[in-house]
């Protein structure tokens, strides 16, 4: 499709309401201090997930190192892009992936700018990017900075993790069982699959 014929994915005004990474983390921390998490639904389980996710993000913020190939690809970008990330504080996949996305953007010398939107506050946008009919997050929307039209999108998790999740669900695994397996996969993978998939996307921009 001709880019000129595409409508913007999001308006500049709406984009301006998005959180920076620091502000997103602050919202999660402030809600946690009140025993809550982001989103419409509140429960002890979701708050417990959000507490674990804060720890995951803090760890990844310190430990994630980009591969030389990804650093090189990001450094070669010649155009600017807005990275809109649909997420929530209780989402375990988001906790494993958002710090990686932020690290990639930070290495871009301003070519990639991140904007965080809470899924439940942006369902109209979320529903344009369903995964097998579900509102799975995180979802990364990569937009051309000048037109806010879509360049591509990615998520809610690396292909290997997605396939593992589908296999576990098909086998009748409970939420607790597949969450444990998926987070175990993330721990062993050490963000490499995420970086490899994003490397291919960045190279194609």
């Amino acid at each position: 499709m001709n880019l000129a014929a595409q409508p913007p994915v999001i308006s500049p005004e709406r984009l301006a309401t998005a959180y920076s990474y620091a502000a997103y983390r602050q919202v999660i921390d402030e809600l946690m201090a009140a025993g809550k998490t982001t989103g419409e639904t509140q429960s002890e389980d979701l708050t417990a997930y959000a507490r674990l996710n804060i720890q995951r993000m803090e760890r990844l913020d310190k430990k994630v190192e980009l591969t030389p190939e990804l650093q090189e690809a990001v450094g070669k970008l010649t155009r600017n892009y807005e990275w809109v990330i649909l997420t929530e504080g209780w989402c375990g996949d988001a906790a494993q992936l958002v710090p990686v996305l932020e690290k990639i953007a930070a290495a871009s010398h301003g070519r990639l700018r991140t904007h965080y939107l809470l899924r439940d506050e942006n369902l109209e946008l979320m529903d344009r990017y369903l995964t097998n009919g579900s509102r799975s997050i995180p979802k990364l929307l990569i937009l051309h900075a000048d037109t806010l039209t879509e360049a591509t999108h990615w998520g809610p998790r690396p292909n290997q993790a997605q396939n593992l999740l589908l296999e576990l669900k098909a086998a009748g695994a409970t939420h607790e069982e597949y969450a444990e397996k998926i987070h175990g996969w993330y721990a062993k993978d050490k963000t490499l699959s995420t970086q490899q998939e994003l490397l291919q996307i960045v190279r194609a921009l």
Side-chain angles (χ1 to χ4, degrees):
M1 183 187 293
N2 188 328
L3 282 179
Q6 286 191 47
V9 170
I10 190 170
S11 70
E13 294 78 16
R14 192 171 179 189
L15 187 65
T17 68
Y19 295 111
S20 65
Y21 184 56
Y24 168 65
R25 294 291 304 277
Q26 183 178 350
V27 165
I28 294 172
D29 289 344
E30 288 176 351
L31 285 168
M32 182 55 61
K36 298 180 180 180
T37 185
T38 63
E40 294 294 323
T41 304
Q42 298 291 323
S43 71
E44 288 184 9
D45 283 346
L46 287 179
T47 303
Y49 296 147
R51 186 176 293 108
L52 275 176
N53 291 337
I54 289 172
Q55 296 171 4
R56 289 175 176 132
M57 286 188 287
E58 287 175 346
R59 183 177 69 250
L60 287 167
D61 283 340
K62 296 174 183 175
K63 291 192 172 182
V64 171
E65 293 186 8
L66 300 186
T67 64
E69 294 83 2
L70 184 49
Q71 289 189 44
E72 180 184 10
V74 170
K76 288 182 176 179
L77 287 171
T78 59
R79 298 182 63 186
N80 295 334
Y81 297 89
E82 310 297 350
W83 280 24
V84 177
I85 297 129
L86 290 160
T87 184
E88 291 283 353
W90 46 259
C91 176
D93 288 286
Q96 298 281 8
L97 300 170
V98 160
V100 185
L101 300 178
E102 189 65 26
K103 192 78 73 168
I104 294 170
S108 74
H109 307 293
R111 292 293 186 186
L112 308 174
R113 293 186 293 264
T114 55
H115 311 265
Y116 293 86
L117 291 173
L118 298 179
R119 183 194 73 172
D120 289 358
E121 295 178 1
N122 295 274
L123 292 180
E124 180 183 349
L125 182 60
M126 179 72 251
D127 286 350
R128 292 163 58 183
Y129 294 94
L130 300 179
T131 302
N132 299 325
S134 71
R135 292 168 171 165
S136 300
I137 51 175
K139 204 75 178 185
L140 166 65
L141 317 180
I142 301 179
L143 312 181
H144 297 280
D146 52 351
T147 61
L148 298 183
T149 54
E150 182 185 318
T152 189
H153 59 86
W154 180 85
R157 56 187 66 85
N159 288 327
Q160 269 189 269
Q162 178 70 6
N163 291 336
L164 175 59
L165 177 65
L166 294 176
E167 290 171 9
L168 291 167
K169 285 189 173 182
T174 65
H175 179 273
E176 288 75 17
E177 289 169 340
Y178 69 69
E180 181 180 353
K181 295 282 189 181
I182 293 295
H183 286 294
W185 179 89
Y186 278 119
K188 291 179 181 177
D189 187 70
K190 300 184 186 300
T191 79
L192 292 179
S193 292
T194 302
Q195 292 197 47
Q196 185 61 35
E197 290 186 22
L198 270 295
L199 170 62
Q200 301 308 316
I201 286 176
V202 169
R203 282 176 171 169
L205 290 176

